[in-house]
């Protein structure tokens, strides 16, 4: 079928234009056959990045596994808003046990499936940043080092949103949370703290690690799909803006996520066996202020006076990311061709072994 | 097959014959020999199961939760600090109604750290919603595991098999380890009540608010009520097939005409039986009541065992754990059972109950000490609450130190110094 190549640059995302693409290049979400793993009727806030990310990630994983998927969920927003008794929004077999044990529970599910001779059924575990980088870290690291056949997805909204926006190990410096309030001479979260779990995951040399955001949903679908090509432990870290916790407009969720990547504050990349294999270049770098200004959690950096010193430190962090992951598509480097609509990797009947 | 075998090894073989599909292991003394033996069976290919070497007890219980929810028969073992570390998941397994079986190789809880036997660990989880069975011998420990899988799966409720650390786990004695065919005939394959299955997706572990939480908890109570019928039925079935008595709710010994009854759990019951025999030789009408099933607490079975005519009876509860600020955990349940008397026997006013804290942190409970203590009980000289074989001199001097100086230092070290174990600084 002849088709015209669409330049997505104007919109800055791959979210549009499905109907103009050939069928095999359309997104999972554009298909009437999508799983709707997290279906409508749940209680997420307006503009919730986590709900969006979870639906795209799980639907892609569902397609990649031909519907043979089991999901394990840590306690948190995603669990609470999706299963208020007596309702559930999950159209996949779904298990919630505790806050800090989702990786271990998923390991158990995977071990059971293997023992019962059902290798075609795959396992996804998912949680927020609190359940992943803080209380779930030991179980996550154990699941990684044993190379258990689990895809763990962290929906990172950078604080404990379900309990009322308290700081987590994923909260960025200077951000206001309920436990790092915007008071005193150095308002917000402290510099020099926090942990980078994608890099920690890579240090385990697991088959596949990737980051993504809800600004680039085609990329997110691709990575969730790609992850299912591998056997063993895999990790997908998705930045999901939280309008409530970040103090951003619900309508700006995609925009805020895009500015996080275009400022360099959130690098988008993938890695195999501990080596970065690709990074999404920044087409048009923006200063970190563009990202910060949209969020009330950084309001103290602009009022009553602009904290140029703090903003400079954040800009330096963004610049370090850009250098570290080679995110610049500027002069000196050939401009990265605009990424074609990401084809969803074809399902492999025999997923590759590590 | 009869063999001379270490308790841990016998339990491992009994568990293996129960065909678990997923086993999670995290080492803690004195549980290690059990999971080591199971690991070897899996590694050799004698047991077809997933064997997960996890990074903590919390992960061990979490992984068996996942395995059980996915439809596999799942097993783990722990003790002491490990049981506390997994406590959140222990409650969760019961709340989800997952028929996991776990061995607890009973050990004290620190501080002070102590690897030896008492019941502090399992007692701390008595209200977690698990059925708790306490083995008296290694034969019973092995048998209880086979029964435990059947009880757990029939009720969709986890079962904890408690066996005394070292005293049982590391003791070699004669055990008849059931053969595979016998166990297969007794224990049907696991048919889960709820399972994670892409062909029929369900949500397990959903949030429940005030509108139904009470009802969910009622069902937990109901499962325990059903267990009071099922546990003895399974024990009877087991006796019919294997020709020996193991498990059940309670085990009375020479209790019919007894005026002095010793109540206890676990391996100390063997020593107690010997002490009872000696007291009988002395003309004291003594008896013993072993509580095999501590959760659910077998109120009616205990009452029936203590039922006699209405003469005054003395009951001595041997507690292998201390409830600081309260006293004895078993005593509290026993009192409640007797207090429910509705005109029948035993009448509370006819029963004098004493709590004796004994055998903490591996201190031997000797026949001699038991006999002296029970003799004084028979004479009416035993206080309501006491410690067996307490070194009063050590306690007295430490209390004096604490009165004398604010900064008296760490008590454990002080006591060890008094004993000459630690050098005087």
């Amino acid at each position: 079928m002849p088709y015209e190549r669409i330049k997505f640059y104007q919109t800055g995302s791959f979210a549009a234009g499905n109907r103009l693409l050939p069928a095999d290049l359309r997104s999972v979400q554009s298909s009437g056959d999508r799983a709707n793993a997290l279906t409508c009727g749940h209680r997420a806030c307006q503009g919730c990045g986590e709900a969006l990310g979870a639906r795209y990630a799980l639907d892609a994983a569902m397609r990649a596994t031909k519907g043979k998927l089991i999901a394990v969920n840590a306690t948190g927003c995603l669990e609470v808003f999706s299963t208020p008794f007596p309702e559930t929004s999950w159209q996949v077999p779904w298990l919630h046990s505790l806050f800090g044990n989702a990786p271990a529970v998923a390991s158990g599910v995977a071990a059971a499936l293997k023992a019962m001779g059902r290798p075609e059924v795959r396992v996804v575990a998912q949680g927020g940043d609190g359940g992943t980088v803080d209380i779930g870290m030991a179980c996550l690291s154990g699941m990684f080092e044993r190379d258990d056949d689990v895809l763990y997805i962290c929906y990172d909204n950078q604080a404990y949103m379900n309990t009322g926006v308290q700081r987590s190990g994923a909260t960025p410096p200077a951000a206001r949370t309920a436990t790092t309030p915007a008071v005193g001479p150095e308002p917000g979260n402290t510099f020099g703290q926090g942990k980078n779990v994608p890099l920690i995951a890579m240090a385990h040399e697991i088959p596949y690690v990737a980051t993504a955001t809800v600004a680039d949903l085609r990329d997110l679908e691709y990575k969730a799909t790609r992850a299912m090509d591998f056997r063993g432990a895999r990790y997908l870290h998705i930045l999901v803006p939280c309008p409530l916790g970040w103090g951003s407009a619900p309508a700006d969720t995609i925009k805020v996520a895009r500015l996080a990547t275009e400022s360099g504050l959130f690098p988008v990349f993938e890695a195999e066996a501990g080596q970065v294999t690709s990074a999404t270049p920044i087409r048009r770098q923006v200063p970190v202020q563009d990202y910060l200004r949209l969020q009330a959690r950084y309001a103290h950096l602009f009022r009553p006076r602009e904290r140029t010193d703090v903003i400079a430190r954040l800009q330096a962090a963004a610049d370090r990311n850009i250098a570290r992951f080679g995110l610049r598509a500027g002069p000196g480097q050939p401009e990265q061709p605009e990424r074609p609509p990401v084809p969803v990797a074809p399902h492999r009947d025999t997923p590759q072994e590590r | 097959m009869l063999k001379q075998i270490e308790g841990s090894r016998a339990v491992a073989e009994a568990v293996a014959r129960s065909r678990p599909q997923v086993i999670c292991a995290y080492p803690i003394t004195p549980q290690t020999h059990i999971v080591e033996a199971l690991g070897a069976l899996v590694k050799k290919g004698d047991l077809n199961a997933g064997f997960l070497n996890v990074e903590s007890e919390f992960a061990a219980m979490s992984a068996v939760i996942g395995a059980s929810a996915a439809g596999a028969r799942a097993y783990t073992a722990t003790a002491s600090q490990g049981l506390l570390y997994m406590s959140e998941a222990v409650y969760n397994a019961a709340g989800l109604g997952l028929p996991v079986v776990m061995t607890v190789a009973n050990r004290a809880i620190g501080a002070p750290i102590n690897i030896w036997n008492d019941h502090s660990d399992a007692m701390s989880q008595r209200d977690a919603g698990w059925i708790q069975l306490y083995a008296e011998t290694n034969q019973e420990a092995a048998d209880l595991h086979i029964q435990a899988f059947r009880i757990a799966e029939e009720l969709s409720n986890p079962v904890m098999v408690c066996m005394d650390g070292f005293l049982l786990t590391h003791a070699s004695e004669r055990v008849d380890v059931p053969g595979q065919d016998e166990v297969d005939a007794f224990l049907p394959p696991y048919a889960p009540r709820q399972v994670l299955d892409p062909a029929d997706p369900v949500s397990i572990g959903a949030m429940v608010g005030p509108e139904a939480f009470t009802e969910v908890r009622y069902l937990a109570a109901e499962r325990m009520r059903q267990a009071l019928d099922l546990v003895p039925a399974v024990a009877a079935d087991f006796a019919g097939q294997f020709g020996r008595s193991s498990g059940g709710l309670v085990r009375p010994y020479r209790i019919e005409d007894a005026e002095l009854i010793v109540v206890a759990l676990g391996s100390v019951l063997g020593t107690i039986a010997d002490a009872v025999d000696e007291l009988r030789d002395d003309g004291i009408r003594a008896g013993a009541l072993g509580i095999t099933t501590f959760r659910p607490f077998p109120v009616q079975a205990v009452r029936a065992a203590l039922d006699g005519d209405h003469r005054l009876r003395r009951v001595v509860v041997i507690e292998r754990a201390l409830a600081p600020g309260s006293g004895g955990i078993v005593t509290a349940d026993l009192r409640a059972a007797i207090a429910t008397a509705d005109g029948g026997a035993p009448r509370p006013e006819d029963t004098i109950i004493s709590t004796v804290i004994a055998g903490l942190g591996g201190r031997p409970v000797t026949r001699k000490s038991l006999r002296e203590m029970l003799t004084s009980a028979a004479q009416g000289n035993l206080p309501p609450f006491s410690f067996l074989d307490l070194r009063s001199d050590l306690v007295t001097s430490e209390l004096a130190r604490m009165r004398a100086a604010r900064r008296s230092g760490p008590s454990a070290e002080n006591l060890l110094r008094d004993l000459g174990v630690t050098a005087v600084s």
Side-chain angles (χ1 to χ4, degrees), chain B residues 125-171:
Chain B
Q125 301 301 302
R126 66 190 180 279
D127 298 328
W130 287 55
I131 291 164
Q132 281 195 348
L133 309 175
Y134 285 76
E136 182 181 336
T137 63
N138 278 338
Q139 181 68 63
E140 187 167 47
D143 294 347
L144 282 180
H145 282 84
I146 297 162
Q147 297 184 31
F149 281 106
R150 200 167 124 182
I151 294 164
E153 289 168 12
E154 206 158 317
L155 285 175
S156 258
N157 200 89
V159 177
M160 192 183 294
V161 181
C162 303
M163 63 188 294
D164 286 319
F166 293 109
L167 298 178
L168 292 182
T169 56
H170 288 54

Side-chain angles (χ1 to χ4, degrees), chain B residues 273-292:
Chain B
D274 289 346
V276 163
D277 290 345
E278 291 184 356
L279 290 169
R280 289 263 173 185
D281 293 344
D282 294 345
I284 297 170
R285 282 193 289 170
L289 179 65
I291 296 178
T292 309

Side-chain angles (χ1 to χ4, degrees), chain A residues 98, chain B residues 58 82-92 124-125 128:
Chain A
L98 295 169
Chain B
F58 178 63
L83 183 63
L84 295 200
Y85 195 58
M86 67 162 66
S87 176
E88 188 190 14
V90 169
Y91 273 73
N92 192 251
S124 78
Q125 301 301 302

Side-chain angles (χ1 to χ4, degrees), chain A residues 141-228:
Chain A
S141 178
M143 186 274 277
F144 285 163
E145 68 85 9
R146 291 188 303 270
D147 198 25
D148 292 334
D149 189 22
V150 173
L151 167 61
Y152 189 93
I153 304 174
C154 172
Y155 303 104
D156 177 11
N157 55 22
Q158 303 189 331
Y160 290 89
M161 301 314 184
N162 190 43
T163 45
V165 199
Q166 294 84 15
R167 176 206 182 274
S168 81
T171 300
R176 179 202 70 195
T177 69
T179 49
T180 56
V183 296
E186 297 297 335
N189 195 29
T190 311
F191 277 84
Q193 299 183 343
K195 54 182 121 171
N196 188 324
V197 177
L199 294 182
I200 292 171
M202 285 170 59
H204 291 76
E205 300 189 4
I206 57 176
Y208 186 71
V209 173
T211 65
T213 77
V214 290
D216 192 344
L217 292 163
R218 300 303 303 275
D219 180 63
L220 171 53
E221 283 190 348
Y222 157 72
K223 282 168 177 166
T225 305
R226 177 73 180 136
M228 302 317 286

Side-chain angles (χ1 to χ4, degrees), chain B residues 8 75 214 251 267 287:
Chain B
S8 294
Y75 169 84
T214 303
R251 184 156 313 133
S267 64

Side-chain angles (χ1 to χ4, degrees), chain A residues 67-72 79-80 83-101 104-113 115-116 118 121 135 138-143 145-146 148, chain B residues 21-22 24 48-50 52-56 58-72 85 88-90 92 96 98 195-209 211-212 216:
Chain A
K68 306 278 191 199
L69 192 72
I70 291 171
V72 174
E79 167 262 328
V80 170
T83 59
F85 179 85
E87 297 153 8
T88 177
S89 286
W90 297 103
Q91 304 204 84
V92 288
W94 181 89
L95 171 63
H96 160 246
S97 172
L98 295 169
F99 197 6
N101 71 353
V105 173
S107 291
V109 174
L113 292 168
M116 296 186 301
R118 303 195 64 188
V121 182
I135 198 170
C139 287
L140 186 67
S141 178
M143 186 274 277
E145 68 85 9
R146 291 188 303 270
D148 292 334
Chain B
Q21 290 158 299
V22 173
C24 293
N48 182 21
L52 284 179
N53 280 297
V54 289
E55 72 281 358
S56 72
F58 178 63
M61 181 49 60
S62 300
V64 293
I65 284 171
S68 184
Y85 195 58
E88 188 190 14
V90 169
N92 192 251
L96 292 170
L98 295 172
V195 66
L196 297 166
D197 180 4
D200 180 20
V202 292
S203 295
I204 302 175
M207 187 172 198
V208 176
E211 63 279 9
V216 173

